[in-house]
Structure formats: C-alpha cells, structure tokens
Amino acid sequence: MRPFDYRSPTDAAEAVRSVAGDPTAVFLGGGTNLVDHLKLGVVAPGLVVGIAGLLSTEIEEVGSGALRVGAGVSNSELAADHRVRDRFPVLSQALLSGASGQLRNMATTGGNPLQRTRCVYFQDVTTPCNKRDPGSGCSALGGWTRNHAILGASEHCIAVHPSDMAVAMTALDARVHVLGPDGERTLPFVDLHRLPGDTPERDTVLEHGELITAIDLPAQPLARRSAYRKVRDRASYAFALVSVAAAVDVRDGVIVDARIALGGVAHAPWRARRAEDVLRGSEASDRSYLAAADAELADARPAEGLDGGNAFKIPLLRRTLAATLRDLVREDAP
C-alpha cells in the first residue's frame, strides 16, 4: 500500500481547487472504481479528495419533461426513479444491467461515466499499457482481444469503455455540467469521452480538476419508446461484449426518427449516426434494421489475438441491433 494524503473539503468548489492545485490528486466519490485501482497499483495518487456528500443527490424537473440528475445521485436511485422509468426506460434498463445491487447503491451519476476500462492488460501492472504508462506499448495487440474494440481503435490502444449508463446517456443526447478551476461549463455527453488516437491515457475531454456536477436529460418524446440490450458472458455482474441503446419513433410502419448508441465496441460510447441516418424514413422491417447495422459497421476493424480475436462482435452486434429495434417497433404496434 502506497501512502497518500486525504482531504475532505466543505464544498465542490474547494474540492476542485484542491485537485486542480495538485497534479497527483484525484476525486473520490463512491469509490467503486478508484478503490480497485488503488489495490491493484494502477494508480498511486499523492492526494485523495473526498467528494461524497458535496454534490446534489436530487433529480429535478427542468422544463417540460426534462430532468437534471445531480452527480451525487446513486445508480440505484436513478434506475428506480419513476420519471426515468417512464420517460427514459433505456437509461433505467442500462443501469440495472450493470454491476450488482450493492455497487449500484454506491456508484454515482457523476462517477459512473468516468470509470476506466476493464482491459486485463490495463489492470495488470506487470504488462506494458499505453493507457496506464504512455509510450510503453499495448499488450492487447496480438494478445487476448475478445473483449476489445472493433470501432475507433488505434495502434496505441484497443480497449473499450465499460459503462452501460454512458451508452444510454449517449443515445439520449444528455448534457454534462462541469465545474472546474476556471468556472462552469456544459458539454454534450457524446463529446465527453475520447477515442484513443495517440493519447489513450486520456479517457475524456475533462481537464485535471474538473468535476461533473450534474447531467441533463432533455425531453424527447421518442425516448419513451427506448430500450437497452446487453450481450455478456453471464446473466449478471459482467461487462458487455456488445450492447445497444435505442429509441425510435415509428408511425404507420415507417421509422420517423431514431437514436442509437453502442457499447462494448469502442474506447468511448459509440453514437451510431450512420445507422440512424439509414433508419430515418425507412420501413420498420428487419431489412432496414440490418442495413442500418451494416452501415454503422462498415469501418469495423476486429482485432486478431491469441484467443481467436473478436471478429464475432460484428455479426453479434448486427443481430443485437436488429433484435432491439424489432422489439421496440413491435411494442409500438397498435
């Protein structure tokens, strides 16, 4: 165990100043990810700044149908909220598909999107990893790649983002409120996470010391007709091999609008804009669903590996997207 200092500030602004002023400092919220990394030796902060109790734990109405979720709201509370279940069922389903009940009780809305990859090489400090130690190399390349990226990867990193909630938030056009040393700012959730490029050590666009304070869910009628489908190796407490968050507006057998995001396939939650474009104005049929999947996966690049690689993710995701859309459209039928 490496020693570190601990600080318990009185408000969020003080917490931000504490972390921003020390390059070795980190925030500690629910601790469901950071504590694991401390035990594994993945991180060794000089200062840990506790923020439990400093951020809003309220889910507020902000306009006709829109919600503002405080960063301190637990995953369990968010999944159970009747407004979320009614207006944004994809989000409730995504949250309930993640981790265990005990972890959902601790994990927070602000912390969940910032959890780091579960790549085994990232978590094994005896192996080279550009995300953990920039410039050391990527042990996943040619290694065990079954759980790795097929979209947006680079020669420096093929890890995937693990959050289920983040995939749903991406599909819902959520917006993120951030407090930093230079004040407050708001950004689209879809812009929060980064693809690896040549700096895979940076998971998000947040600067050191910036803290998520709330996430807005804009009112969208089509979000009421939404769902999350997750394919994994076991029925619970497992990360996605692939996942789909989808919302559709279907009228007279035609898809008027759609929102789709994918999980388990990239370094960031993947907004499937090509698939959305194909679906809009198309007949609500398997032919359209599969055409949308094919358009989105046209640039997919599976990784080869000692375990046979992950090319299976392409047909698996194709079928998963089609099944998700088929069920949503079936629900929409009179």
Side-chain angles (χ1 to χ4, degrees):
M1 181 69 181
R2 296 186 181 183
F4 56 81
D5 293 329
Y6 179 80
R7 189 171 300 165
S8 182
T10 57
D11 57 34
E14 182 185 347
V16 166
R17 290 193 297 271
S18 295
V19 173
D22 185 340
T24 72
V26 294
F27 294 113
L28 173 65
T32 58
N33 196 207
L34 177 62
V35 172
D36 285 344
H37 289 167
L38 289 170
K39 292 177 180 178
L40 292 169
V42 172
V43 294
L47 172 65
V48 174
V49 177
I51 55 173
L54 300 184
L55 301 171
S56 172
T57 57
E58 300 297 321
I59 302 173
E60 306 172 81
E61 300 277 354
V62 283
S64 180
L67 296 176
R68 176 164 296 164
V69 185
V73 174
S74 74
N75 285 184
S76 293
E77 292 169 327
L78 185 58
D81 188 272
H82 69 92
R83 295 163 295 181
V84 174
R85 293 170 63 187
D86 179 50
R87 301 175 204 172
F88 311 99
V90 63
L91 178 56
S92 181
Q93 293 169 20
L95 287 162
L96 292 174
S97 75
S100 64
Q102 295 92 330
L103 286 172
R104 291 195 296 269
N105 288 340
M106 292 298 297
T108 62
T109 298
N112 182 288
L114 303 182
Q115 61 182 298
R116 309 204 71 189
T117 183
R118 264 51 179 197
C119 172
V120 294
Y121 299 105
F122 172 72
Q123 294 184 320
D124 181 354
V125 297
T126 68
T127 62
C129 171
N130 287 321
K131 180 177 284 295
R132 179 174 21 85
D133 183 14
S136 62
C138 176
S139 295
L141 292 172
W144 298 93
T145 60
R146 185 170 184 270
N147 296 313
H148 286 73
I150 58 173
L151 292 167
S154 75
E155 62 180 343
H156 302 284
C157 181
I158 59 172
V160 299
H161 186 74
S163 170
D164 295 295
M165 185 187 88
V167 180
M169 290 285 194
T170 298
L172 291 171
D173 294 319
R175 296 187 64 82
V176 184
H177 295 273
V178 176
L179 176 64
D182 297 323
E184 299 180 15
R185 67 179 177 125
T186 303
L187 67 154
F189 193 95
V190 70
D191 294 335
L192 175 63
H193 299 92
R194 300 178 62 259
L195 294 179
D198 58 4
T199 54
E201 68 275 13
R202 292 198 63 195
D203 293 339
T204 72
V205 299
L206 298 183
E207 299 296 336
H208 183 70
E210 287 194 308
L211 178 66
I212 293 176
T213 58
I215 297 179
D216 285 353
L217 301 173
Q220 296 189 79
L222 85 167
R224 291 179 182 270
R225 185 69 64 189
S226 63
Y228 187 73
R229 187 180 295 257
K230 178 178 181 178
V231 181
R232 46 190 165 176
D233 284 328
R234 56 182 184 266
S236 66
Y237 201 57
F239 295 97
L241 290 171
V242 300
S243 65
V244 173
V248 293
D249 180 5
V250 182
R251 303 177 198 173
D252 299 323
V254 175
I255 300 174
V256 177
D257 201 3
R259 299 286 187 279
I260 298 174
L262 311 176
V265 297
H267 192 263
W270 188 268
R271 181 65 180 266
R273 297 195 186 278
R274 289 182 181 177
E276 293 173 359
D277 289 343
V278 169
L279 290 170
R280 291 188 186 99
S282 297
E283 176 189 12
S285 67
D286 276 6
R287 179 179 297 180
S288 298
Y289 311 151
L290 294 172
D294 290 341
E296 196 61 50
L297 293 167
D299 293 334
R301 297 293 180 269
E304 298 180 356
L306 298 172
D307 52 0
N310 62 3
F312 73 93
K313 284 192 175 187
I314 294 176
L316 178 60
L317 185 56
R318 189 173 184 263
R319 294 192 300 269
T320 303
L321 177 57
T324 307
L325 294 170
R326 187 183 309 123
D327 287 350
L328 285 174
V329 170
R330 186 177 298 135
E331 290 178 12
D332 198 57

